[in-house]
Amino acid sequence: MARIGTSDLDVYPLCLGGNVFGWTSDEQQSFAVLDAYAAAGGNFIDTADVYSAWAEGNSGGESEAVIGRWLARRGRRDDLVIATKVGQLPTAKGLSAANIKVAVEGSLHRLGTDHIDLYYAHIDDSTVPLAETLGAFTELVKEGKVRHLAASNYDTDRLAEALEISKRENLAGYVALQPEYNLVEREGYEGKLAALVAIEGLSAVPYWGLAKGFLTGKYRPGVTVDSPRAAGAGAYLDDRGLRVLAVLDELAAAHRTSVASVALAWLGAQPTVVAPIASARTVEQLDDLLGAATLELAEDEIQRLTEAGAR
Ligand SMILES: NC(=O)c1ccc[n+]([C@@H]2O[C@H](COP(=O)([O-])OP(=O)(O)OC[C@H]3O[C@@H](n4cnc5c(N)ncnc54)[C@H](OP(=O)(O)O)[C@@H]3O)[C@@H](O)[C@H]2O)c1
C-alpha cells in the first residue's frame, strides 16, 4: 500500500480505471473485474460522473451506478478508496459552487455511499474563480461527503494557484493530481508539473497508464484491433512506439510477466507516482495488469524504457 500525498488514504499501487464499466464491459463482466481486483488486494477504484456519456445509449453515470450496485452486492465499503470526479457530465458541467453541490449528490446516490474518498475536479474550469470551486469542495469535506480533494487535467500555473488559494484562504487543498502520463506520453507531466507535485507533497495518479491499450503490446504492424480505443491507441505505432515495444517485450520475457505489467511498473516507479490507473474490460485482461503491483524493475531497466520512449 502507498499513501496519497498528505492524505490518510493508503492505496494499492495499481488503481482500477472505471470508464469501461457500463461501456465496453457489461455489468456481469464489470462485477467480475471488480471482484478479481479486490480479491488480489486492490482497493483503489477510479470513476467519474461523466462515464460513459460518450457511448451510444448512455447519458453518463453508468460507471458509478455499476460500481454502486457492486458495492451493495459486496456489502463492504470501508476497505475501498473510491475516487470520482465532477465537471464533465453534460447535465452538470463545470466547477461552479452550485454545480458541485448538485453533482456530488448524483455521484453519492449512484455509488450508493455516504462519502467519496477522493473527489476530483475533472477539468480546470477557467470560467469559475478557483476560490469558489475550492470553497464548495471545502463545504463537502466539512459535511463529511468527501474525504479528500484532487485535481485532474490542471496545468502547472493553475495547480500552483489553486494550492496557494487553499493555503491563503484556509480552504481544503488538493492532495493529488491525475494527469495523462505513460511511457509514450511524457511531455505533459514530466518537468515543471511533476516538480510542483513533488515540492507541494502531492501524489500523481496518472491516467491512460496503458496509452489506451497500446502498452499492452496488442497493437502491432499489420494487426487489426477491435476496440473503440483502436484509433487512439494505434496512433502510437510509429518508430518510437516500436522501440518501446521492443524493450517491453524483452523485459516482459526476462521477468516472465506481461508487457502491460512492465509498462505500468515503469510508470509506478516514476517520482511522485503513487498508483497508475489502468482499466480492464475482462478478468483475463486484468490478470495481465496485476503483475505491475509487485514487479520491481532494476534502475537500468527503467532507464532503457525511459530512453526508448523519449521523443
Ligand atoms: N482524468 C481524466 O481526464 C481521464 C481520462 C481518461 C481516463 N481516465 C481514467 O483512467 C482510466 C484508464 O484509462 P483507459 O481505461 O481509457 O485507458 P488505459 O488504461 O490506458 O487502457 C485500458 C484499455 O486497454 C485494453 N486492455 C487492458 N488490459 C489489456 C490486456 N491485458 N490485453 C489487451 N488489452 C487490454 C482495454 O481496452 P480494449 O479491450 O477496448 O482494447 C482497456 O480498457 C479510465 O478508466 C479512467 O478511470 C481519466
PDB file of all heavy atoms in Angstrom, residues 17-20 46 51 85 122 152-153 178 207-213 216 218-219 227-229 277-281 284-285 288-289, ligand 1:
ATOM      1  N   GLY A  17      -9.164   1.542 -13.341  1.00  0.00           N
ATOM      2  CA  GLY A  17      -9.925   2.534 -14.104  1.00  0.00           C
ATOM      3  C   GLY A  17     -11.352   2.051 -14.331  1.00  0.00           C
ATOM      4  O   GLY A  17     -11.582   0.898 -14.674  1.00  0.00           O
ATOM      5  N   GLY A  18     -12.304   2.964 -14.150  1.00  0.00           N
ATOM      6  CA  GLY A  18     -13.714   2.566 -14.186  1.00  0.00           C
ATOM      7  C   GLY A  18     -14.477   2.993 -15.419  1.00  0.00           C
ATOM      8  O   GLY A  18     -15.679   2.746 -15.512  1.00  0.00           O
ATOM      9  N   ASN A  19     -13.802   3.584 -16.423  1.00  0.00           N
ATOM     10  CA  ASN A  19     -14.615   4.080 -17.542  1.00  0.00           C
ATOM     11  C   ASN A  19     -15.185   2.954 -18.412  1.00  0.00           C
ATOM     12  O   ASN A  19     -16.109   3.171 -19.179  1.00  0.00           O
ATOM     13  CB  ASN A  19     -13.862   5.140 -18.370  1.00  0.00           C
ATOM     14  CG  ASN A  19     -12.679   4.598 -19.142  1.00  0.00           C
ATOM     15  OD1 ASN A  19     -12.433   3.391 -19.170  1.00  0.00           O
ATOM     16  ND2 ASN A  19     -11.939   5.496 -19.777  1.00  0.00           N
ATOM     17  N   VAL A  20     -14.654   1.747 -18.252  1.00  0.00           N
ATOM     18  CA  VAL A  20     -15.172   0.607 -19.027  1.00  0.00           C
ATOM     19  C   VAL A  20     -16.522   0.093 -18.504  1.00  0.00           C
ATOM     20  O   VAL A  20     -17.303  -0.483 -19.265  1.00  0.00           O
ATOM     21  CB  VAL A  20     -14.175  -0.581 -19.012  1.00  0.00           C
ATOM     22  CG1 VAL A  20     -13.020  -0.330 -19.947  1.00  0.00           C
ATOM     23  CG2 VAL A  20     -13.678  -0.894 -17.607  1.00  0.00           C
ATOM     24  N   ASP A  46     -11.208   4.095  -9.662  1.00  0.00           N
ATOM     25  CA  ASP A  46     -11.342   5.434 -10.245  1.00  0.00           C
ATOM     26  C   ASP A  46     -12.549   5.489 -11.186  1.00  0.00           C
ATOM     27  O   ASP A  46     -12.679   4.661 -12.089  1.00  0.00           O
ATOM     28  CB  ASP A  46     -10.087   5.773 -11.062  1.00  0.00           C
ATOM     29  CG  ASP A  46     -10.114   7.195 -11.590  1.00  0.00           C
ATOM     30  OD1 ASP A  46      -9.770   8.111 -10.825  1.00  0.00           O
ATOM     31  OD2 ASP A  46     -10.501   7.393 -12.758  1.00  0.00           O
ATOM     32  N   TYR A  51     -18.723   9.222 -16.878  1.00  0.00           N
ATOM     33  CA  TYR A  51     -18.506   7.920 -17.526  1.00  0.00           C
ATOM     34  C   TYR A  51     -19.816   7.174 -17.661  1.00  0.00           C
ATOM     35  O   TYR A  51     -20.458   6.917 -16.646  1.00  0.00           O
ATOM     36  CB  TYR A  51     -17.510   7.046 -16.752  1.00  0.00           C
ATOM     37  CG  TYR A  51     -16.116   7.608 -16.595  1.00  0.00           C
ATOM     38  CD1 TYR A  51     -15.229   7.040 -15.694  1.00  0.00           C
ATOM     39  CD2 TYR A  51     -15.660   8.697 -17.335  1.00  0.00           C
ATOM     40  CE1 TYR A  51     -13.928   7.526 -15.533  1.00  0.00           C
ATOM     41  CE2 TYR A  51     -14.358   9.197 -17.162  1.00  0.00           C
ATOM     42  CZ  TYR A  51     -13.522   8.613 -16.274  1.00  0.00           C
ATOM     43  OH  TYR A  51     -12.237   9.096 -16.108  1.00  0.00           O
ATOM     44  N   LYS A  85     -15.257  12.004  -9.985  1.00  0.00           N
ATOM     45  CA  LYS A  85     -14.897  13.340 -10.477  1.00  0.00           C
ATOM     46  C   LYS A  85     -16.137  14.142 -10.851  1.00  0.00           C
ATOM     47  O   LYS A  85     -17.167  13.560 -11.224  1.00  0.00           O
ATOM     48  CB  LYS A  85     -14.009  13.227 -11.727  1.00  0.00           C
ATOM     49  CG  LYS A  85     -12.895  12.210 -11.615  1.00  0.00           C
ATOM     50  CD  LYS A  85     -11.953  12.232 -12.803  1.00  0.00           C
ATOM     51  CE  LYS A  85     -11.023  11.028 -12.782  1.00  0.00           C
ATOM     52  NZ  LYS A  85     -11.625   9.797 -13.286  1.00  0.00           N
ATOM     53  N   HIS A 122     -12.540  17.375 -12.422  1.00  0.00           N
ATOM     54  CA  HIS A 122     -12.174  16.569 -13.596  1.00  0.00           C
ATOM     55  C   HIS A 122     -11.370  17.386 -14.608  1.00  0.00           C
ATOM     56  O   HIS A 122     -10.543  16.857 -15.339  1.00  0.00           O
ATOM     57  CB  HIS A 122     -13.452  16.022 -14.249  1.00  0.00           C
ATOM     58  CG  HIS A 122     -13.244  14.821 -15.103  1.00  0.00           C
ATOM     59  ND1 HIS A 122     -14.258  13.949 -15.413  1.00  0.00           N
ATOM     60  CD2 HIS A 122     -12.148  14.332 -15.737  1.00  0.00           C
ATOM     61  CE1 HIS A 122     -13.782  12.981 -16.185  1.00  0.00           C
ATOM     62  NE2 HIS A 122     -12.510  13.197 -16.395  1.00  0.00           N
ATOM     63  N   SER A 152      -7.640  17.079 -11.701  1.00  0.00           N
ATOM     64  CA  SER A 152      -7.236  16.363 -12.909  1.00  0.00           C
ATOM     65  C   SER A 152      -7.147  17.357 -14.055  1.00  0.00           C
ATOM     66  O   SER A 152      -7.943  18.298 -14.131  1.00  0.00           O
ATOM     67  CB  SER A 152      -8.261  15.269 -13.248  1.00  0.00           C
ATOM     68  OG  SER A 152      -7.799  14.514 -14.347  1.00  0.00           O
ATOM     69  N   ASN A 153      -6.153  17.147 -14.920  1.00  0.00           N
ATOM     70  CA  ASN A 153      -6.000  17.971 -16.122  1.00  0.00           C
ATOM     71  C   ASN A 153      -5.735  19.448 -15.815  1.00  0.00           C
ATOM     72  O   ASN A 153      -6.142  20.320 -16.580  1.00  0.00           O
ATOM     73  CB  ASN A 153      -7.234  17.820 -17.038  1.00  0.00           C
ATOM     74  CG  ASN A 153      -7.445  16.384 -17.474  1.00  0.00           C
ATOM     75  OD1 ASN A 153      -6.527  15.750 -17.964  1.00  0.00           O
ATOM     76  ND2 ASN A 153      -8.646  15.852 -17.278  1.00  0.00           N
ATOM     77  N   GLN A 178      -4.303  14.081 -11.156  1.00  0.00           N
ATOM     78  CA  GLN A 178      -4.480  13.000 -12.133  1.00  0.00           C
ATOM     79  C   GLN A 178      -4.183  13.561 -13.530  1.00  0.00           C
ATOM     80  O   GLN A 178      -5.031  14.166 -14.163  1.00  0.00           O
ATOM     81  CB  GLN A 178      -5.907  12.432 -12.068  1.00  0.00           C
ATOM     82  CG  GLN A 178      -6.045  11.201 -12.939  1.00  0.00           C
ATOM     83  CD  GLN A 178      -7.386  10.491 -12.844  1.00  0.00           C
ATOM     84  OE1 GLN A 178      -7.979  10.166 -13.868  1.00  0.00           O
ATOM     85  NE2 GLN A 178      -7.871  10.244 -11.652  1.00  0.00           N
ATOM     86  N   TYR A 207      -3.489   8.861 -15.571  1.00  0.00           N
ATOM     87  CA  TYR A 207      -4.488   8.129 -16.363  1.00  0.00           C
ATOM     88  C   TYR A 207      -3.927   7.771 -17.745  1.00  0.00           C
ATOM     89  O   TYR A 207      -2.916   8.297 -18.156  1.00  0.00           O
ATOM     90  CB  TYR A 207      -5.811   8.874 -16.463  1.00  0.00           C
ATOM     91  CG  TYR A 207      -5.860  10.141 -17.312  1.00  0.00           C
ATOM     92  CD1 TYR A 207      -6.006  10.084 -18.692  1.00  0.00           C
ATOM     93  CD2 TYR A 207      -5.831  11.389 -16.723  1.00  0.00           C
ATOM     94  CE1 TYR A 207      -6.105  11.238 -19.458  1.00  0.00           C
ATOM     95  CE2 TYR A 207      -5.921  12.553 -17.477  1.00  0.00           C
ATOM     96  CZ  TYR A 207      -6.055  12.475 -18.848  1.00  0.00           C
ATOM     97  OH  TYR A 207      -6.150  13.620 -19.602  1.00  0.00           O
ATOM     98  N   TRP A 208      -4.665   6.842 -18.418  1.00  0.00           N
ATOM     99  CA  TRP A 208      -4.187   6.261 -19.676  1.00  0.00           C
ATOM    100  C   TRP A 208      -2.810   5.631 -19.468  1.00  0.00           C
ATOM    101  O   TRP A 208      -1.886   5.780 -20.295  1.00  0.00           O
ATOM    102  CB  TRP A 208      -4.173   7.295 -20.829  1.00  0.00           C
ATOM    103  CG  TRP A 208      -5.533   7.509 -21.413  1.00  0.00           C
ATOM    104  CD1 TRP A 208      -6.592   6.655 -21.345  1.00  0.00           C
ATOM    105  CD2 TRP A 208      -5.998   8.660 -22.156  1.00  0.00           C
ATOM    106  NE1 TRP A 208      -7.694   7.196 -21.994  1.00  0.00           N
ATOM    107  CE2 TRP A 208      -7.350   8.420 -22.491  1.00  0.00           C
ATOM    108  CE3 TRP A 208      -5.407   9.857 -22.553  1.00  0.00           C
ATOM    109  CZ2 TRP A 208      -8.119   9.338 -23.212  1.00  0.00           C
ATOM    110  CZ3 TRP A 208      -6.172  10.762 -23.275  1.00  0.00           C
ATOM    111  CH2 TRP A 208      -7.505  10.501 -23.598  1.00  0.00           C
ATOM    112  N   GLY A 209      -2.686   4.930 -18.333  1.00  0.00           N
ATOM    113  CA  GLY A 209      -1.421   4.277 -17.999  1.00  0.00           C
ATOM    114  C   GLY A 209      -0.974   3.318 -19.084  1.00  0.00           C
ATOM    115  O   GLY A 209       0.221   3.051 -19.244  1.00  0.00           O
ATOM    116  N   LEU A 210      -1.938   2.778 -19.841  1.00  0.00           N
ATOM    117  CA  LEU A 210      -1.604   1.837 -20.914  1.00  0.00           C
ATOM    118  C   LEU A 210      -1.676   2.509 -22.291  1.00  0.00           C
ATOM    119  O   LEU A 210      -1.703   1.822 -23.312  1.00  0.00           O
ATOM    120  CB  LEU A 210      -2.567   0.646 -20.879  1.00  0.00           C
ATOM    121  CG  LEU A 210      -2.445  -0.255 -19.651  1.00  0.00           C
ATOM    122  CD1 LEU A 210      -3.588  -1.270 -19.604  1.00  0.00           C
ATOM    123  CD2 LEU A 210      -1.097  -0.978 -19.654  1.00  0.00           C
ATOM    124  N   ALA A 211      -1.709   3.841 -22.295  1.00  0.00           N
ATOM    125  CA  ALA A 211      -1.835   4.565 -23.568  1.00  0.00           C
ATOM    126  C   ALA A 211      -3.002   3.985 -24.373  1.00  0.00           C
ATOM    127  O   ALA A 211      -2.860   3.646 -25.548  1.00  0.00           O
ATOM    128  CB  ALA A 211      -0.528   4.551 -24.354  1.00  0.00           C
ATOM    129  N   LYS A 212      -4.151   3.870 -23.691  1.00  0.00           N
ATOM    130  CA  LYS A 212      -5.416   3.400 -24.288  1.00  0.00           C
ATOM    131  C   LYS A 212      -5.346   1.953 -24.785  1.00  0.00           C
ATOM    132  O   LYS A 212      -6.157   1.534 -25.604  1.00  0.00           O
ATOM    133  CB  LYS A 212      -5.863   4.329 -25.421  1.00  0.00           C
ATOM    134  CG  LYS A 212      -5.941   5.792 -25.015  1.00  0.00           C
ATOM    135  CD  LYS A 212      -6.195   6.684 -26.214  1.00  0.00           C
ATOM    136  CE  LYS A 212      -5.985   8.144 -25.835  1.00  0.00           C
ATOM    137  NZ  LYS A 212      -5.949   9.042 -26.956  1.00  0.00           N
ATOM    138  N   GLY A 213      -4.345   1.225 -24.326  1.00  0.00           N
ATOM    139  CA  GLY A 213      -4.211  -0.181 -24.731  1.00  0.00           C
ATOM    140  C   GLY A 213      -2.944  -0.445 -25.517  1.00  0.00           C
ATOM    141  O   GLY A 213      -2.507  -1.585 -25.639  1.00  0.00           O
ATOM    142  N   THR A 216      -0.157  -2.537 -23.928  1.00  0.00           N
ATOM    143  CA  THR A 216      -0.361  -3.970 -23.657  1.00  0.00           C
ATOM    144  C   THR A 216       0.397  -4.804 -24.678  1.00  0.00           C
ATOM    145  O   THR A 216       0.546  -6.017 -24.515  1.00  0.00           O
ATOM    146  CB  THR A 216      -1.843  -4.379 -23.765  1.00  0.00           C
ATOM    147  OG1 THR A 216      -2.273  -4.176 -25.124  1.00  0.00           O
ATOM    148  CG2 THR A 216      -2.721  -3.566 -22.829  1.00  0.00           C
ATOM    149  N   LYS A 218      -0.680  -5.224 -27.784  1.00  0.00           N
ATOM    150  CA  LYS A 218      -1.558  -5.885 -28.769  1.00  0.00           C
ATOM    151  C   LYS A 218      -1.651  -5.116 -30.090  1.00  0.00           C
ATOM    152  O   LYS A 218      -2.160  -5.649 -31.071  1.00  0.00           O
ATOM    153  CB  LYS A 218      -2.937  -6.149 -28.191  1.00  0.00           C
ATOM    154  CG  LYS A 218      -3.814  -4.939 -27.966  1.00  0.00           C
ATOM    155  CD  LYS A 218      -5.172  -5.407 -27.433  1.00  0.00           C
ATOM    156  CE  LYS A 218      -6.059  -4.254 -27.028  1.00  0.00           C
ATOM    157  NZ  LYS A 218      -7.333  -4.705 -26.476  1.00  0.00           N
ATOM    158  N   TYR A 219      -1.140  -3.889 -30.118  1.00  0.00           N
ATOM    159  CA  TYR A 219      -1.106  -3.133 -31.371  1.00  0.00           C
ATOM    160  C   TYR A 219       0.262  -3.367 -32.019  1.00  0.00           C
ATOM    161  O   TYR A 219       1.283  -2.981 -31.471  1.00  0.00           O
ATOM    162  CB  TYR A 219      -1.330  -1.637 -31.113  1.00  0.00           C
ATOM    163  CG  TYR A 219      -2.744  -1.358 -30.641  1.00  0.00           C
ATOM    164  CD1 TYR A 219      -3.080  -1.472 -29.291  1.00  0.00           C
ATOM    165  CD2 TYR A 219      -3.751  -1.020 -31.546  1.00  0.00           C
ATOM    166  CE1 TYR A 219      -4.379  -1.244 -28.857  1.00  0.00           C
ATOM    167  CE2 TYR A 219      -5.058  -0.793 -31.114  1.00  0.00           C
ATOM    168  CZ  TYR A 219      -5.360  -0.911 -29.772  1.00  0.00           C
ATOM    169  OH  TYR A 219      -6.645  -0.689 -29.349  1.00  0.00           O
ATOM    170  N   SER A 227     -11.572  -2.407 -30.994  1.00  0.00           N
ATOM    171  CA  SER A 227     -11.809  -1.652 -29.751  1.00  0.00           C
ATOM    172  C   SER A 227     -12.169  -0.234 -30.134  1.00  0.00           C
ATOM    173  O   SER A 227     -11.607   0.308 -31.090  1.00  0.00           O
ATOM    174  CB  SER A 227     -10.540  -1.633 -28.897  1.00  0.00           C
ATOM    175  OG  SER A 227     -10.636  -0.613 -27.910  1.00  0.00           O
ATOM    176  N   PRO A 228     -13.091   0.395 -29.383  1.00  0.00           N
ATOM    177  CA  PRO A 228     -13.364   1.814 -29.664  1.00  0.00           C
ATOM    178  C   PRO A 228     -12.135   2.687 -29.418  1.00  0.00           C
ATOM    179  O   PRO A 228     -12.081   3.834 -29.820  1.00  0.00           O
ATOM    180  CB  PRO A 228     -14.500   2.168 -28.691  1.00  0.00           C
ATOM    181  CG  PRO A 228     -14.585   1.052 -27.709  1.00  0.00           C
ATOM    182  CD  PRO A 228     -13.925  -0.144 -28.305  1.00  0.00           C
ATOM    183  N   ARG A 229     -11.113   2.123 -28.746  1.00  0.00           N
ATOM    184  CA  ARG A 229      -9.877   2.865 -28.491  1.00  0.00           C
ATOM    185  C   ARG A 229      -8.853   2.676 -29.617  1.00  0.00           C
ATOM    186  O   ARG A 229      -7.767   3.261 -29.550  1.00  0.00           O
ATOM    187  CB  ARG A 229      -9.217   2.365 -27.207  1.00  0.00           C
ATOM    188  CG  ARG A 229      -9.947   2.673 -25.942  1.00  0.00           C
ATOM    189  CD  ARG A 229      -9.221   1.988 -24.801  1.00  0.00           C
ATOM    190  NE  ARG A 229      -9.661   2.428 -23.510  1.00  0.00           N
ATOM    191  CZ  ARG A 229     -10.739   1.971 -22.900  1.00  0.00           C
ATOM    192  NH1 ARG A 229     -11.483   1.055 -23.478  1.00  0.00           N
ATOM    193  NH2 ARG A 229     -11.087   2.426 -21.711  1.00  0.00           N
ATOM    194  N   ILE A 277      -3.238   4.448 -13.195  1.00  0.00           N
ATOM    195  CA  ILE A 277      -4.597   3.942 -13.436  1.00  0.00           C
ATOM    196  C   ILE A 277      -4.594   3.157 -14.737  1.00  0.00           C
ATOM    197  O   ILE A 277      -4.021   3.605 -15.734  1.00  0.00           O
ATOM    198  CB  ILE A 277      -5.628   5.076 -13.603  1.00  0.00           C
ATOM    199  CG1 ILE A 277      -5.491   6.124 -12.498  1.00  0.00           C
ATOM    200  CG2 ILE A 277      -7.042   4.526 -13.635  1.00  0.00           C
ATOM    201  CD1 ILE A 277      -6.401   7.333 -12.716  1.00  0.00           C
ATOM    202  N   ALA A 278      -5.236   2.006 -14.719  1.00  0.00           N
ATOM    203  CA  ALA A 278      -5.457   1.267 -15.963  1.00  0.00           C
ATOM    204  C   ALA A 278      -6.799   0.561 -15.844  1.00  0.00           C
ATOM    205  O   ALA A 278      -7.206   0.174 -14.751  1.00  0.00           O
ATOM    206  CB  ALA A 278      -4.348   0.249 -16.194  1.00  0.00           C
ATOM    207  N   SER A 279      -7.460   0.416 -16.972  1.00  0.00           N
ATOM    208  CA  SER A 279      -8.737  -0.293 -16.940  1.00  0.00           C
ATOM    209  C   SER A 279      -8.607  -1.646 -17.620  1.00  0.00           C
ATOM    210  O   SER A 279      -7.708  -1.864 -18.442  1.00  0.00           O
ATOM    211  CB  SER A 279      -9.836   0.523 -17.635  1.00  0.00           C
ATOM    212  OG  SER A 279      -9.640   0.528 -19.028  1.00  0.00           O
ATOM    213  N   ALA A 280      -9.513  -2.537 -17.257  1.00  0.00           N
ATOM    214  CA  ALA A 280      -9.576  -3.863 -17.880  1.00  0.00           C
ATOM    215  C   ALA A 280     -11.045  -4.159 -18.175  1.00  0.00           C
ATOM    216  O   ALA A 280     -11.907  -3.930 -17.333  1.00  0.00           O
ATOM    217  CB  ALA A 280      -9.001  -4.913 -16.939  1.00  0.00           C
ATOM    218  N   ARG A 281     -11.278  -4.653 -19.373  1.00  0.00           N
ATOM    219  CA  ARG A 281     -12.649  -4.977 -19.807  1.00  0.00           C
ATOM    220  C   ARG A 281     -13.063  -6.345 -19.291  1.00  0.00           C
ATOM    221  O   ARG A 281     -14.243  -6.613 -19.089  1.00  0.00           O
ATOM    222  CB  ARG A 281     -12.646  -4.954 -21.331  1.00  0.00           C
ATOM    223  CG  ARG A 281     -13.939  -4.767 -22.025  1.00  0.00           C
ATOM    224  CD  ARG A 281     -13.730  -4.417 -23.495  1.00  0.00           C
ATOM    225  NE  ARG A 281     -12.608  -5.067 -24.143  1.00  0.00           N
ATOM    226  CZ  ARG A 281     -12.585  -6.337 -24.558  1.00  0.00           C
ATOM    227  NH1 ARG A 281     -13.627  -7.116 -24.377  1.00  0.00           N
ATOM    228  NH2 ARG A 281     -11.515  -6.820 -25.165  1.00  0.00           N
ATOM    229  N   GLU A 284      -9.519 -11.606 -17.713  1.00  0.00           N
ATOM    230  CA  GLU A 284      -8.274 -12.026 -18.378  1.00  0.00           C
ATOM    231  C   GLU A 284      -7.365 -10.815 -18.600  1.00  0.00           C
ATOM    232  O   GLU A 284      -6.156 -10.892 -18.384  1.00  0.00           O
ATOM    233  CB  GLU A 284      -8.577 -12.705 -19.732  1.00  0.00           C
ATOM    234  CG  GLU A 284      -9.261 -14.061 -19.620  1.00  0.00           C
ATOM    235  CD  GLU A 284     -10.722 -13.970 -19.138  1.00  0.00           C
ATOM    236  OE1 GLU A 284     -11.397 -12.957 -19.456  1.00  0.00           O
ATOM    237  OE2 GLU A 284     -11.175 -14.894 -18.426  1.00  0.00           O
ATOM    238  N   GLN A 285      -7.949  -9.713 -19.038  1.00  0.00           N
ATOM    239  CA  GLN A 285      -7.132  -8.505 -19.218  1.00  0.00           C
ATOM    240  C   GLN A 285      -6.565  -8.051 -17.878  1.00  0.00           C
ATOM    241  O   GLN A 285      -5.391  -7.685 -17.771  1.00  0.00           O
ATOM    242  CB  GLN A 285      -7.977  -7.363 -19.821  1.00  0.00           C
ATOM    243  CG  GLN A 285      -8.297  -7.539 -21.297  1.00  0.00           C
ATOM    244  CD  GLN A 285      -8.906  -6.279 -21.909  1.00  0.00           C
ATOM    245  OE1 GLN A 285      -9.306  -5.352 -21.205  1.00  0.00           O
ATOM    246  NE2 GLN A 285      -8.996  -6.257 -23.231  1.00  0.00           N
ATOM    247  N   ASP A 288      -3.418  -9.696 -16.586  1.00  0.00           N
ATOM    248  CA  ASP A 288      -2.185  -9.222 -17.226  1.00  0.00           C
ATOM    249  C   ASP A 288      -1.653  -7.929 -16.600  1.00  0.00           C
ATOM    250  O   ASP A 288      -0.511  -7.562 -16.841  1.00  0.00           O
ATOM    251  CB  ASP A 288      -2.484  -8.903 -18.694  1.00  0.00           C
ATOM    252  CG  ASP A 288      -2.019  -9.996 -19.616  1.00  0.00           C
ATOM    253  OD1 ASP A 288      -1.510 -11.011 -19.121  1.00  0.00           O
ATOM    254  OD2 ASP A 288      -2.178  -9.814 -20.838  1.00  0.00           O
ATOM    255  N   LEU A 289      -2.500  -7.228 -15.880  1.00  0.00           N
ATOM    256  CA  LEU A 289      -2.100  -5.928 -15.322  1.00  0.00           C
ATOM    257  C   LEU A 289      -1.613  -6.045 -13.888  1.00  0.00           C
ATOM    258  O   LEU A 289      -0.806  -5.249 -13.423  1.00  0.00           O
ATOM    259  CB  LEU A 289      -3.274  -4.923 -15.356  1.00  0.00           C
ATOM    260  CG  LEU A 289      -4.065  -4.799 -16.662  1.00  0.00           C
ATOM    261  CD1 LEU A 289      -5.090  -3.676 -16.549  1.00  0.00           C
ATOM    262  CD2 LEU A 289      -3.138  -4.540 -17.838  1.00  0.00           C
TER     263      LEU A 289
HETATM  264  N1  LIG B   1      -8.935  12.276 -15.709  1.00  0.00           N
HETATM  265  C1  LIG B   1      -9.209  12.099 -16.969  1.00  0.00           C
HETATM  266  O1  LIG B   1      -9.463  13.054 -17.731  1.00  0.00           O
HETATM  267  C2  LIG B   1      -9.204  10.696 -17.519  1.00  0.00           C
HETATM  268  C3  LIG B   1      -9.211  10.482 -18.914  1.00  0.00           C
HETATM  269  C4  LIG B   1      -9.193   9.164 -19.371  1.00  0.00           C
HETATM  270  C5  LIG B   1      -9.170   8.104 -18.478  1.00  0.00           C
HETATM  271  N2  LIG B   1      -9.195   8.332 -17.116  1.00  0.00           N
HETATM  272  C6  LIG B   1      -9.180   7.217 -16.143  1.00  0.00           C
HETATM  273  O2  LIG B   1      -8.103   6.364 -16.443  1.00  0.00           O
HETATM  274  C7  LIG B   1      -8.600   5.035 -16.646  1.00  0.00           C
HETATM  275  C8  LIG B   1      -7.725   4.351 -17.643  1.00  0.00           C
HETATM  276  O3  LIG B   1      -7.911   4.873 -18.938  1.00  0.00           O
HETATM  277  P1  LIG B   1      -8.464   3.993 -20.091  1.00  0.00           P
HETATM  278  O4  LIG B   1      -9.237   2.902 -19.470  1.00  0.00           O
HETATM  279  O5  LIG B   1      -9.207   4.857 -21.041  1.00  0.00           O
HETATM  280  O6  LIG B   1      -7.140   3.520 -20.857  1.00  0.00           O
HETATM  281  P2  LIG B   1      -5.901   2.584 -20.467  1.00  0.00           P
HETATM  282  O7  LIG B   1      -5.937   2.161 -19.068  1.00  0.00           O
HETATM  283  O8  LIG B   1      -4.691   3.271 -20.998  1.00  0.00           O
HETATM  284  O9  LIG B   1      -6.202   1.331 -21.398  1.00  0.00           O
HETATM  285  C9  LIG B   1      -7.087   0.365 -20.947  1.00  0.00           C
HETATM  286  C10 LIG B   1      -7.634  -0.447 -22.082  1.00  0.00           C
HETATM  287  O10 LIG B   1      -6.615  -1.247 -22.668  1.00  0.00           O
HETATM  288  C11 LIG B   1      -7.166  -2.504 -23.034  1.00  0.00           C
HETATM  289  N3  LIG B   1      -6.517  -3.537 -22.220  1.00  0.00           N
HETATM  290  C12 LIG B   1      -6.306  -3.524 -20.857  1.00  0.00           C
HETATM  291  N4  LIG B   1      -5.669  -4.632 -20.459  1.00  0.00           N
HETATM  292  C13 LIG B   1      -5.467  -5.377 -21.564  1.00  0.00           C
HETATM  293  C14 LIG B   1      -4.852  -6.620 -21.778  1.00  0.00           C
HETATM  294  N5  LIG B   1      -4.325  -7.322 -20.777  1.00  0.00           N
HETATM  295  N6  LIG B   1      -4.807  -7.092 -23.050  1.00  0.00           N
HETATM  296  C15 LIG B   1      -5.312  -6.393 -24.066  1.00  0.00           C
HETATM  297  N7  LIG B   1      -5.916  -5.193 -23.921  1.00  0.00           N
HETATM  298  C16 LIG B   1      -6.002  -4.681 -22.686  1.00  0.00           C
HETATM  299  C17 LIG B   1      -8.657  -2.430 -22.744  1.00  0.00           C
HETATM  300  O11 LIG B   1      -9.344  -1.824 -23.847  1.00  0.00           O
HETATM  301  P3  LIG B   1      -9.886  -2.643 -25.131  1.00  0.00           P
HETATM  302  O12 LIG B   1     -10.171  -4.038 -24.690  1.00  0.00           O
HETATM  303  O13 LIG B   1     -11.064  -1.866 -25.539  1.00  0.00           O
HETATM  304  O14 LIG B   1      -8.755  -2.557 -26.118  1.00  0.00           O
HETATM  305  C18 LIG B   1      -8.692  -1.434 -21.602  1.00  0.00           C
HETATM  306  O15 LIG B   1      -9.942  -0.857 -21.423  1.00  0.00           O
HETATM  307  C19 LIG B   1     -10.063   5.195 -17.034  1.00  0.00           C
HETATM  308  O16 LIG B   1     -10.827   4.053 -16.780  1.00  0.00           O
HETATM  309  C20 LIG B   1     -10.436   6.344 -16.137  1.00  0.00           C
HETATM  310  O17 LIG B   1     -10.715   5.866 -14.832  1.00  0.00           O
HETATM  311  C21 LIG B   1      -9.195   9.620 -16.650  1.00  0.00           C
END
